[in-house]
């Protein structure tokens, strides 16, 4: 039997690099040196998306028109090359991403090393908003440790590197209206409906209270969902509910100043 040849895999690697390089505009030696990140395609509620992988997990998700388009955007944003994942190098992660995008509760590791500490805190808070629920900017700001920073939270959402995995579509304006979305406000409404949220029920009255418990909730809090229609009291703000004698829910923690 022949000894396994060392030259053979290196030759294959060089061939692969030479094949990828012209498409990505990447120098062959950079591909060989591992200076590129990997990406793969996945199906999502936004259609086909491309998912780039950094050292710690998913770094970027985008519904680009083509692989080339995605690679260009990635390069512009992160200053690094990206090329299709080879073999099963990201198989485990790709499986988790597919499950998460299909609506399953899967913890997908993210690589947010390029984000600022503030962006990371905001993205972490938003990652925790459950399917079927929405939260206003003012809540995300308070939970991220920067009360009142609604506008800054909005900026982080607009530049979210990993939409759907960090569900920025579940963050709504402080008055409960759906607000903008990187992929269009219509898409945001469609995504929320697909998750069992009726945006028009929340718009204008994002808080709900009930005299049976004396508690005020975000309208999509799991506690609020249990309130019988005849016991349901809608409020425009937490403040008005508190003035009417209600206490903020300990589960969804609505911001009393809102
Ligand atoms: Zn609640």
């Amino acid at each position: 039997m022949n000894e396994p040849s060392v030259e053979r895999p290196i030759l294959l690697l060089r061939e692969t690099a030479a094949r990828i390089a012209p498409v990505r505009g990447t120098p062959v030696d950079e591909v060989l040196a591992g200076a590129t990140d990997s990406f793969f395609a996945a199906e999502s509620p936004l259609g086909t998306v491309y998912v780039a992988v950094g050292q710690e997990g998913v770094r970027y998700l985008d519904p680009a028109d083509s692989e080339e388009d995605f690679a260009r955007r990635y390069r512009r944003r992160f200053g690094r090359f990206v090329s299709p994942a080879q073999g099963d190098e990201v198989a485990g992660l790709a499986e988790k991403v597919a499950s998460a995008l299909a609506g399953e509760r899967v913890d997908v590791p993210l690589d947010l090393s390029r984000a600022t500490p503030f962006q990371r805190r905001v993205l972490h808070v938003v990652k925790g908003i459950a399917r079927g629920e929405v939260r206003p900017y003012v809540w995300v700001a308070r939970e991220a440790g920067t009360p009142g920073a609604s506008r800054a939270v909005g900026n982080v959402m607009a530049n979210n590197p990993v939409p759907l995995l960090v569900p920025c579509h579940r963050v709504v304006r402080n008055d409960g209206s759906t607000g903008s979305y990187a992929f269009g406000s219509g898409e945001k409404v469609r995504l929320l409906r697909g998750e069992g949220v009726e945006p028009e029920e929340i718009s204008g009255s994002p808080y709900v209270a009930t005299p049976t418990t004396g508690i005020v909730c975000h309208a999509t809090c799991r506690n609020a969902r249990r309130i019988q229609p005849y016991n349901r009291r809608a409020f425009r703000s937490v403040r008005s509910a508190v003035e009417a004698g209600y206490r903020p829910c300990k589960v969804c923690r609505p911001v009393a100043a809102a």
Side-chain angles (χ1 to χ4, degrees):
M1 245 178 82
N2 290 336
E3 287 294 311
S5 159
V6 180
E7 275 87 84
R8 177 82 187 129
I10 289 176
L11 189 66
L12 272 176
L13 195 60
R14 188 161 273 283
E15 277 172 11
T16 307
R19 196 157 43 77
I20 295 167
V23 183
R24 313 281 161 233
T26 312
V28 173
D29 288 337
E30 271 195 49
V31 175
L32 283 171
T36 63
D37 297 322
S38 300
F39 76 90
F40 56 89
E43 288 313 308
S44 84
L46 290 170
T48 302
V49 294
Y50 296 102
V51 182
V53 182
Q55 283 211 317
E56 296 162 35
V58 173
R59 180 178 279 170
Y60 189 52
L61 181 153
D62 193 40
D65 290 335
S66 65
E67 292 189 350
E68 288 71 21
D69 186 30
F70 177 77
R72 253 194 310 277
R73 290 199 211 183
Y74 187 80
R75 175 95 209 275
R76 208 179 304 138
R77 183 157 179 157
F78 296 97
R80 288 178 64 85
F81 296 107
V82 69
S83 53
Q86 301 296 308
D88 57 2
E89 62 173 318
V90 295
L93 186 62
E95 208 170 295
K96 280 186 183 174
V97 168
S99 302
L101 294 178
E104 288 172 40
R105 280 182 73 155
V106 183
D107 190 38
V108 176
L110 302 175
D111 184 338
L112 302 175
S113 55
R114 299 300 179 98
T116 67
F118 172 70
Q119 289 167 338
R120 262 200 297 276
R121 286 204 307 277
V122 167
L123 293 168
H124 181 74
V125 167
V126 174
K127 193 182 181 204
I129 303 174
R131 186 182 168 87
E133 302 199 13
V134 296
R135 293 290 181 271
Y137 291 112
V138 68
W139 179 88
V140 175
R142 197 272 319 271
E143 294 285 301
T146 47
S150 289
R151 189 176 289 271
V153 166
N155 288 337
V156 178
M157 295 298 88
N159 294 298
N160 178 8
V162 282
L164 300 174
L165 298 178
V166 166
C168 55
H169 62 281
R170 294 177 194 153
V171 180
V172 297
R173 292 176 52 161
N174 293 341
D175 65 0
S177 59
T178 316
S180 60
Y181 188 46
F183 310 108
S185 51
E187 279 296 85
K188 190 170 182 177
V189 167
R190 199 181 59 78
L191 287 176
L192 289 175
R193 286 226 171 88
E195 297 180 352
V197 174
E198 290 304 327
E200 57 280 357
E201 278 178 23
I202 298 154
S203 188
S205 52
Y207 302 100
V208 168
T210 173
T212 35
T213 59
I215 286 170
V216 57
C217 277
H218 291 104
T220 55
C221 171
R222 62 174 192 262
N223 285 342
R225 297 258 194 219
R226 285 203 288 263
I227 303 172
Q228 297 300 319
Y230 52 87
N231 276 330
R232 215 176 155 84
R233 309 282 184 274
F235 286 93
R236 294 184 74 83
S237 68
V238 183
R239 194 185 315 210
S240 55
V242 168
E243 279 167 9
Y246 294 98
R247 286 171 290 117
C249 168
K250 288 204 167 94
V251 173
C252 66
R253 301 182 297 280
V255 179

